[in-house]
Amino acid sequence: MTRRPPDWIDPLLSRLGTARVEDFTRLTTPAEGGRESAVLVLLGEQADTGPDVLILQRAATLRNHAGQPAFPGGAADPEDADARATALREANEEVGLDPASVTVLAELPKLWIPVSDFVVTPVLAWWHDPHPVHPREPAEVAHVARLPIRELVDPANRLRVRHPSGWVGPAFSSRGMLVWGFTAGVLAALLEMGGWARPWSPGRLVDLPPTGAAPAPSAGTDEVDETALR
């Protein structure tokens, strides 16, 4: 069990020391108001696929964010000591993550999602003692996956999506998931900061359906199915 993160994370940690809201979004986080929440950006590593990040897919029957891939996380509870506590509690409730298996590395700037008025603190962590995870509440979480960084940065798996509102933002296609919106915006910024991103063409643009959530596509397809932050 290695609690110290591997060397490949060091460039990202160094860059995060000077990170600002503007590195992740064009939206200014309000000084007051908004519902406090947190998400867990959990980096791990496997022998066969290399570095990865934990992503869940929300159930298609949810009223909000149906079928959308996301980081584990949610709104803060009164008993949560801080954003780290919120992120770890939510990850445990959603996918059974053992908080003792995680080493928290940094908190990113607070980011605002206007459509839900959430003020989200992404919490970066290293999974020093990985273990099997699964949806604990199938009515809320449909699927959990560890998406390899090498697949996320593959130009063939990168695209842009257009929301019916007109918003256009980055997306990633990996292991049957289309990651977009807030989650993709944070991922794109972190991949750049860590020095892992590869050049890719932004010419591939896919329209999101106006309502509901279509099945997420396999890598390389143009048919798709979070409201955007970027």
Side-chain angles (χ1 to χ4, degrees):
M1 180 173 64
T2 303
R3 292 185 178 273
R4 186 196 180 283
D7 292 344
W8 56 264
I9 298 182
D10 287 346
L12 174 59
L13 293 179
S14 296
R15 176 63 179 82
L16 286 176
T18 58
R20 305 172 301 161
V21 169
E22 293 79 4
D23 294 318
F24 298 90
T25 177
R26 297 186 297 270
L27 301 174
T28 301
T29 302
E32 298 180 356
R35 188 175 183 188
E36 291 289 335
S37 61
V39 296
L40 185 68
V41 184
L42 184 58
L43 300 178
E45 188 170 13
Q46 300 186 81
D48 55 342
T49 56
D52 57 34
V53 60
L54 186 72
I55 299 290
L56 60 81
Q57 186 153 16
R58 304 205 178 279
T61 53
L62 289 178
R63 184 175 62 178
N64 296 316
H65 309 302
Q68 295 170 6
F71 300 117
D77 279 353
E79 61 268 25
D80 292 338
D82 49 27
R84 303 180 182 205
T86 297
L88 292 172
R89 174 185 56 75
E90 285 282 342
N92 174 262
E93 293 175 358
E94 291 179 329
V95 303
L97 180 74
D98 179 4
S101 71
V102 171
T103 300
V104 172
L105 302 175
E107 290 185 15
L108 279 59
K110 293 178 180 289
L111 307 174
W112 181 47
I113 304 180
V115 68
S116 57
D117 198 30
F118 276 100
V119 175
V120 185
T121 301
V123 177
L124 182 72
W126 163 242
W127 205 358
H128 65 256
D129 190 17
H131 59 85
V133 290
H134 62 278
R136 294 189 66 179
E137 294 291 342
E140 296 183 4
V141 178
H143 181 60
V144 189
R146 298 178 65 172
L147 302 186
I149 298 297
R150 70 186 187 193
E151 293 184 11
L152 295 174
V153 300
D154 185 337
N157 295 331
R158 298 204 63 173
L159 65 156
R160 294 184 303 149
V161 295
R162 180 165 48 210
H163 190 270
S165 67
W167 166 88
V168 175
F172 302 85
S173 180
S174 174
R175 312 242 161 166
M177 286 188 179
L178 180 71
V179 184
W180 65 282
F182 173 85
T183 304
V186 172
L187 269 179
L190 292 177
L191 293 174
E192 291 287 348
M193 291 180 180
W196 310 321
R198 295 168 53 189
W200 63 285
S201 173
R204 183 178 169 209
L205 178 63
V206 175
D207 287 323
L208 291 167
T211 58
S218 299
T221 68
D222 283 332
E223 296 179 1
V224 299
D225 164 29
E226 218 165 50
T227 294
L229 179 67
R230 293 178 66 88

